[in-house]
Amino acid sequence: MEVLNPITTKLQGLSTSDHASVVSMNLFVALLCACIVIGHLLEENQWMNESITALLIGVCTGVVILLVSGGKSSHLLVFSEDLFFIYLLPPIIFNAGFQVKKKQFFRNFITIMLFGAVGTLISCFVISLGAIEFFSRMDIGELDIGDYIALGAIFAATDSVCTLQILNQDQTPLLYSLVFGEGVVNDATSVVLFNALQGFDLVNLTPHNGLEFIGSFLYLFVTSTLLGVATGLVSAYIIKTLYFGRHSTDREVSLMILMAYLSYMLAELFYLSGILTVFFCGIVMSHYTWHNVTESSRVTTKHAFATLSFVSEIFIFLYVGMDALDIEKWTAVSDSPGTIVAVSSVLLALVLLGRAAFVFPLSFLSNLSKKSPNDKIDIKQQIVIWWAGLMRGAVSMALAYNKFTSGGHTHLRGNAILITSTIIVVLFSTVVFGLMTQPLIRFLLPDGKSQPSTAVSSHAGSPKSITVPFLGEGQDSLEDFAHQDLNGGNRLRALLTTPTHTVHYYWRKFDNAFMRPVFGGRGFVPFVPGSPTERTSPSITTPFQ
């Protein structure tokens, strides 16, 4: 018995530790359920959304935990950037690509890339310069040029979920597609820029190193996109060729989910941008793979991806709300509350300025290339786009933790100041700017005016939960360009005058002639013996006209 006592004691200690973890997870899951229930009750109140609800519940829970623990802790889990980037972010970004209305996204692709890529770089530059100018005069510790540029990348990452939940993509398709597309490309650009900065010596920067950095950035952008497209095409070819649905729809669903996640992990394995890869993988899988599976698998995968994304978003904002009261960080900066207020105010002002520095000039440039007044972005829409990108959220938090903490803990005072300031900016921008979004849009766009030239009709008879935004109603057909004569010399003129429409015209011809016969897609009917309904469902498998 004397020999067993130490072993028994150790096992009891492990059991106590495991029980504490189980209790924490039970409480956290219960809070997630509470967020969903309260979000449902607030469904008709467009002033609130799941993000704000989860943040506020997280803050309230943090206060309770702080009181119960005697001021020792305010959260149930310790934040890990690996948890965020490996498990929570992939389903959010993949679902964004999977659900995107491709017609609108690619019709406005040039403008979206201007805002999402070029605009993010401009915003990062403005925020970095402002941080250098102001923070060098404040008592926040030693920061090098890499820290300042990292701050620019962190606060250039937007979170436009509040605006997207209020905008109507059928009434304002141009505005919705620009805000949505820019948000995703912006997140990807911010993460690519942040990662590219980590491997360069910015203190001893030379013109050669600058060109090398630009080349590295473009390499990450292009190769990440190509990897996502390739993975999506492989999944489409495998499912189309092997007909998994004739035996089990579970295999189809499992393969789609695993291939989507594999694309993200392959990007991380090769030090590429997982966000870009999984986003374009989602677009390709919605265009080809999704149409190659049986009808039951289509409904299942649509809701599975949406559910995983929804839960991940709530998880992130709930934790951010709890972590806002983390005693460790506030203890480290307790001697300088004025500095925290000053740093947070400067960061908010820089976010406002950095956003304005590219939205209005790039909108002007975009309008120069558009001849139809309905395709141009008027000043009211520009203000909505500017406002939509002021919210900061999960990506900013994750990048800040990655840069200024170690294992979720902050040890240096300067890093603690920047982390707490980031939390304040995220909370303030999400709650305050989010609550002001509804009245602003009602004031600027009272009629929710639609753009006839880009409007996308919805299937009026489809239930809200079943309507799939990337299905047939949102697809272009070759008849859209039937009035255009694109033979001979007219091709070059059409390319110069209407580049997006012309490229889209030739892409659809190439897609129908070469891609669909190999990879399947809309119009492909999986062979399922004994299931004639799989061949005749008009709402799902209507062939491309």
Side-chain angles (χ1 to χ4, degrees):
M1 291 297 294
E2 293 180 359
V3 176
L4 294 176
N5 280 337
I7 299 176
T8 305
T9 303
K10 185 174 181 180
L11 289 175
Q12 288 175 346
L14 288 174
S15 177
T16 302
S17 176
D18 291 342
H19 181 71
S21 300
V22 171
V23 170
S24 297
M25 287 305 301
N26 271 277
L27 291 174
F28 204 90
V29 172
L31 289 172
L32 290 175
C33 294
C35 290
I36 294 174
V37 171
I38 295 175
H40 171 73
L41 296 176
L42 296 174
E43 178 72 21
E44 302 302 323
N45 183 358
Q46 292 186 329
W47 288 66
M48 298 287 288
N49 57 67
E50 284 83 3
S51 300
I52 297 177
T53 302
L55 271 176
L56 295 179
I57 291 177
V59 172
C60 295
T61 306
V63 172
V64 173
I65 297 174
L66 200 62
L67 294 174
V68 172
S69 65
K72 295 180 180 179
S73 176
S74 67
H75 43 66
L76 299 169
L77 306 172
V78 176
F79 184 88
S80 168
E81 57 268 18
D82 291 337
L83 170 68
F84 174 81
F85 282 107
I86 296 179
Y87 300 109
L88 298 178
L89 189 60
I92 296 174
I93 302 301
F94 176 82
N95 187 63
F98 194 73
Q99 301 284 2
V100 68
K101 282 190 176 182
K102 298 186 293 295
K103 176 181 178 180
Q104 289 299 319
F105 182 83
F106 287 104
R107 172 168 288 180
N108 301 300
F109 185 75
I110 296 176
T111 305
I112 287 172
M113 292 305 295
L114 272 177
F115 286 159
V118 179
T120 301
L121 295 177
I122 294 174
S123 179
C124 176
F125 180 75
V126 171
I127 295 172
S128 298
L129 281 183
I132 293 173
E133 176 67 24
F134 290 101
F135 292 169
S136 58
R137 305 176 184 178
M138 299 180 184
D139 180 25
I140 58 174
E142 293 293 331
L143 297 177
D144 57 32
I145 185 66
D147 294 327
Y148 289 119
I149 299 181
L151 280 173
I154 289 169
F155 287 99
T158 66
D159 187 343
S160 53
V161 64
C162 296
T163 307
L164 288 176
Q165 289 181 355
I166 295 171
L167 286 175
N168 188 310
Q169 59 181 330
D170 291 322
Q171 292 181 339
T172 56
L174 173 62
L175 192 57
Y176 188 95
S177 65
L178 289 179
V179 173
F180 173 83
E182 186 229 333
V184 176
V185 177
N186 166 277
D187 286 347
T189 304
S190 299
V191 175
V192 170
L193 181 61
F194 182 86
N195 291 335
L197 289 169
Q198 305 305 307
F200 280 86
D201 181 14
L202 298 173
V203 177
N204 302 313
L205 189 63
T206 64
H208 179 267
N209 290 340
L211 292 175
E212 187 179 350
F213 170 75
I214 295 174
S216 175
F217 178 82
L218 294 176
Y219 167 79
L220 283 174
F221 218 97
V222 173
T223 52
S224 299
T225 300
L226 293 178
L227 178 60
V229 171
T231 309
L233 291 177
V234 169
S235 71
Y237 182 79
I238 291 175
I239 290 180
K240 174 180 178 292
T241 305
L242 298 181
Y243 299 126
F244 287 92
R246 62 185 171 184
H247 296 303
S248 171
T249 57
D250 295 339
R251 294 175 183 172
E252 289 182 323
V253 175
S254 300
L255 188 62
M256 285 187 69
I257 293 175
L258 291 174
M259 288 293 288
Y261 190 66
L262 179 64
S263 69
Y264 185 88
M265 295 312 298
L266 283 174
E268 295 298 312
L269 177 66
F270 296 117
Y271 302 101
L272 302 176
S273 170
I275 290 182
L276 267 180
T277 298
V278 78
F279 175 71
F280 280 97
C281 179
I283 291 179
V284 172
M285 288 182 73
S286 74
H287 189 66
Y288 296 109
T289 313
W290 191 80
H291 294 279
N292 296 343
V293 300
T294 57
E295 182 177 351
S296 58
S297 295
R298 294 173 192 174
V299 176
T300 301
T301 51
K302 173 186 179 295
H303 291 292
F305 292 137
T307 301
L308 290 172
S309 172
F310 176 73
V311 173
S312 296
E313 287 182 359
I314 294 180
F315 187 104
I316 291 168
F317 281 101
L318 182 62
Y319 182 85
V320 169
M322 290 185 186
D323 201 58
L325 300 174
D326 182 24
I327 197 66
E328 178 186 272
K329 302 179 183 66
W330 291 107
T331 300
V333 298
S334 59
D335 61 332
S336 52
T339 303
I340 295 294
V341 174
V343 171
S344 302
S345 301
V346 168
L347 288 174
L348 277 170
L350 291 176
V351 166
L352 293 166
L353 181 61
R355 183 82 183 157
F358 76 84
V359 168
F360 300 106
L362 293 184
S363 296
F364 175 76
L365 292 178
S366 176
N367 288 338
L368 291 178
S369 63
K370 297 177 180 178
K371 294 188 175 181
S372 172
N374 291 325
D375 290 335
K376 294 186 177 182
I377 311 170
D378 61 38
I379 187 62
K380 293 183 178 180
Q381 293 173 329
Q382 292 176 31
I383 294 175
V384 172
I385 294 172
W386 170 72
W387 186 268
L390 294 180
M391 277 72 81
R392 295 296 177 266
V395 175
S396 294
M397 285 295 302
L399 293 179
Y401 273 98
N402 183 280
K403 180 66 178 178
F404 300 113
T405 70
S406 175
H409 299 284
T410 307
H411 303 291
L412 299 178
R413 177 178 172 276
N415 289 351
I417 290 176
L418 294 176
I419 286 291
T420 50
S421 299
T422 302
I423 293 173
I424 291 174
V425 171
V426 169
L427 286 173
F428 184 89
S429 62
T430 302
V431 176
V432 178
F433 292 163
L435 290 175
M436 293 172 62
T437 299
Q438 171 72 358
L440 177 68
I441 292 181
R442 282 184 175 178
F443 174 74
L444 294 175
L445 306 172
D447 301 325
K449 61 179 182 180
S450 61
Q451 290 91 9
S453 65
T454 58
V456 181
S457 60
S458 298
H459 195 289
S462 298
K464 179 179 178 182
S465 61
I466 301 297
T467 302
V468 184
F470 46 75
L471 285 183
E473 297 87 348
Q475 301 295 331
D476 278 340
S477 65
L478 294 178
E479 281 77 5
D480 292 343
F481 305 93
H483 65 283
Q484 298 181 8
D485 181 12
L486 297 180
N487 295 321
N490 287 338
R491 296 177 180 176
L492 180 60
R493 183 174 62 186
L495 183 62
L496 294 176
T497 55
T498 57
T500 304
H501 290 75
T502 306
V503 170
H504 188 245
Y505 168 78
Y506 284 110
W507 158 249
R508 294 310 297 252
K509 292 186 66 174
F510 175 79
D511 190 29
N512 291 332
F514 299 102
M515 299 297 288
R516 292 182 190 272
V518 177
F519 299 105
R522 186 166 175 242
F524 176 80
V525 182
F527 175 71
V528 182
S531 238
T533 56
E534 301 296 342
R535 302 167 178 264
T536 59
S537 175
S539 63
I540 299 294
T541 58
T542 304
F544 173 75
Q545 298 297 325

